[in-house]
Every structure is written in C-alpha cells, then in structure tokens.
C-alpha cells in the first residue's frame, strides 16, 4: 500500500497495533467474513490471537446482531498468517465509504497480498436458491459512493481475480459465478429495484462488498469474492424478507461453505 491517501495513515496505525498485539509482523492473506460465513474461521487454520476490532484505531464495534466484532490472526497450513475479520463496517451504519474501506486498507498495511471478501445476498437467479455459494465475477456499485478521493483513477476491469476464481472452480467445478449489485441499505431492495438491478446485469443483491473491493484494488490487493445466497431477492419468491431469514440460511449452509472456503484458501 503506497501513496498518501488520507485513509492510509489510520490503516497503518491499525496494522501496527495488530502487529504488536498478535506478534506477527506480516499477514499474507486477509479474509472478511460476511453473513453465514463465520464458521470458516475455525477451518482456515489455527487461531493464534483474537483481537476485538473496536480496540484497533479506526474501527468501531458492528451494530448488527450476529456480526462478530473480532479479528483473528490465523496460522495457515503453509506456515504463513492470515487476518480473519469476523465482520465488516457497512455503509449503512451511518459511516462513510472511507470507514468501510478501513478493513481492507488495514489488511494491506499489515502486509496482505490478497483479500477474500464474503457476503450473504439475495438471488435474482431462480436456480440459485438459499444455500448456494456463488463466485463474484464483477459488481455494480449502486451506493452512489466511493472510497476513493479526488483524481484516483483505478482500473477495475479484472477486479475479481480470474486466477483465484479458477482455483475455486478446481475445488468445486459446480460453482456458478455472477454479478453482485451493492445497494446502500439498510432497507432491503424493493421489487422494482431488484428488476432494475437485473435489467442492468445483476445476478445478486446485497449491502456490502463493492466498496470494499474498490478500496482493496486501490490498495494493491488481489481480490476474491464469494457470495452465499440467503434468500430470493424481493419479488422473486412472494415472501417478505427478514434478517432472521438471512441468519438462518447462513447457519444451515455454514458447514458446507466454510469447508469450501477453507479449501480455496489452502490453494491461494
């Protein structure tokens, strides 16, 4: 991570605090666990230290029940270390895009080369029902925001690493891939908004990931994204949406997707 972007200084402070607390000078990979993905932390490797994120410069405790407010230092099978964030800062938590970006910027400052972004999402593809893991091939940033400042022109052509997506398909050849549309939240999308997202190329809808990914590319990280379908998007099932439904779908799919993600990280 180079340059004098105003968010980088605080990220370096957070990375320094992590290095001091964990005793690890460099973490090679960072993993951000979204809704439904929490169990993966136990399978990725051996946790050597757990730190409450609110104790680190620039972070605040998450405001959503079920979001884990910690970051773990995890020893991978190859002996290197990973940072595993149990939750992320969401744009809807009355914070700006810079606060959202702080997680991946801290990871880059901690030495990470790769960031794995996961999320729970709504599906616009009838065949992708709850419990389906989907590779993120591209995104639509529908938040109206960006973590970049001024004339920071960043190429996003191959933002979601083709290399790691190929590795994921080696682990599970049945994995589909699609386009993730990030809305600002916290309200769920209306059926009209879902139809709009589908019309412009979206396959999945949610409230995270795109802003994180933009910031990660800007910070020089290789980005891999994976979504867990937790529900059919508004208007696709005729049923009302609820956070409880999202949480339950994550619990049901947890063992499968956790093992899948750990298998992919083993090969990165």
């Amino acid at each position: 991570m180079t340059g004098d972007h105003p968010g980088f200084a605080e990220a370096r402070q957070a990375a320094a605090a992590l290095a001091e607390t964990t005793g690890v000078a460099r973490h090679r990979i960072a993993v951000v666990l979204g809704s439904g993905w929490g169990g993966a932390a136990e399978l990725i490797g051996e946790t050597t230290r757990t730190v409450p994120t609110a104790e680190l410069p620039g972070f605040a405790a998450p405001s959503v029940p079920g979001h884990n407010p910690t970051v773990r230092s995890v020893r991978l099978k190859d002996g290197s270390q990973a940072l595993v964030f149990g939750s992320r800062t969401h744009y809807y938590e009355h914070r700006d895009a810079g606060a959202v970006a702080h997680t991946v910027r801290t990871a880059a400052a901690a030495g990470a080369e790769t960031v794995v972004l996961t999320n729970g999402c709504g599906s616009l593809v009838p065949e992708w029902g709850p419990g389906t893991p989907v590779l993120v091939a591209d995104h639509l940033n529908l938040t109206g925001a960006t973590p970049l400042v001024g004339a920071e022109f960043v190429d996003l052509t191959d933002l979601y690493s083709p290399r790691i997506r190929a590795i994921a398909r080696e682990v599970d050849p049945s994995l589909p891939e699609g386009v993730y549309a990030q809305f600002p939240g916290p309200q769920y999308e209306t059926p009209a908004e879902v139809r709009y997202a589908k019309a412009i190329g979206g396959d999945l809808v949610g409230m995270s990931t795109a802003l994180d990914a933009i910031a990660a590319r800007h910070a020089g990280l290789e980005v891999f994204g994976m979504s867990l379908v937790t529900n059919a998007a508004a208007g696709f099932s005729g049923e009302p949406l609820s956070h409880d439904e999202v949480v339950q779908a994550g619990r049901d799919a947890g063992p499968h997707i956790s093992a899948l993600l750990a298998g992919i990280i083993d090969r990165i």
Side-chain angles (χ1 to χ4, degrees):
M1 185 175 68
T2 60
D4 57 358
H5 185 284
F8 288 177
E10 193 167 40
R12 292 188 183 101
Q13 293 172 8
L18 274 171
E20 181 178 359
T21 304
T22 64
V24 176
R26 175 177 175 266
H27 290 85
R28 183 174 67 86
I29 294 175
V31 184
V32 181
L33 298 177
S35 298
W37 294 90
E42 303 294 340
L43 301 180
I44 291 170
E46 177 192 357
T47 297
T48 57
R49 191 63 186 264
T50 300
V51 182
T53 48
E55 293 183 1
L56 300 172
F59 286 91
S63 61
V64 182
H67 290 180
N68 182 0
T70 65
V71 56
R72 301 187 189 199
S73 181
V74 175
R75 183 178 295 115
L76 302 176
K77 292 179 181 178
D78 67 358
S80 66
Q81 295 283 136
L83 283 175
V84 181
F85 292 88
S87 61
R88 55 161 51 88
T89 297
H90 288 82
Y91 186 60
Y92 58 71
E93 293 178 280
H94 301 290
R95 307 189 74 194
D96 61 17
V100 173
H102 186 56
T103 297
V104 296
R105 287 174 178 158
T106 296
E113 301 168 354
T114 302
V115 64
V116 176
L117 302 173
T118 65
N119 62 64
C121 68
S123 172
L124 284 64
V125 180
E127 293 77 18
W128 300 349
T132 304
V134 182
L135 303 178
V136 179
D138 205 344
H139 77 229
L140 297 165
N141 176 14
L142 303 180
T143 67
T146 176
L148 308 182
V149 177
E152 295 178 329
F153 303 116
V154 179
D155 179 25
L156 303 180
T157 303
D158 59 350
L159 174 56
Y160 295 92
S161 173
R163 179 185 77 88
I164 304 179
R165 280 155 46 208
I167 289 172
R169 286 191 291 271
E170 291 174 2
V171 175
D172 182 353
S174 71
L175 282 171
E177 63 177 36
V179 176
Y180 179 95
Q182 180 180 351
F183 284 83
Q187 70 282 349
Y188 289 107
E189 304 77 21
T190 68
E193 288 169 336
V194 169
R195 291 195 300 272
Y196 167 68
K198 186 172 181 62
I200 62 174
D203 301 300
L204 308 164
V205 292
M207 304 175 194
S208 70
T209 302
L211 295 177
D212 309 64
I214 294 166
R217 167 55 63 87
H218 177 234
L221 296 173
E222 185 176 23
V223 179
F224 173 64
M226 184 174 284
S227 296
L228 168 68
V229 174
T230 56
N231 55 274
F236 274 72
S237 70
E239 299 295 326
L241 303 180
S242 74
H243 182 64
D244 289 343
E245 177 187 18
V246 171
V247 171
Q248 186 59 50
R251 289 195 189 107
D252 293 343
H256 169 64
I257 62 172
S258 296
L260 174 62
L261 185 62
I264 295 168
I265 291 173
D266 280 348
R267 302 190 184 200
I268 295 177

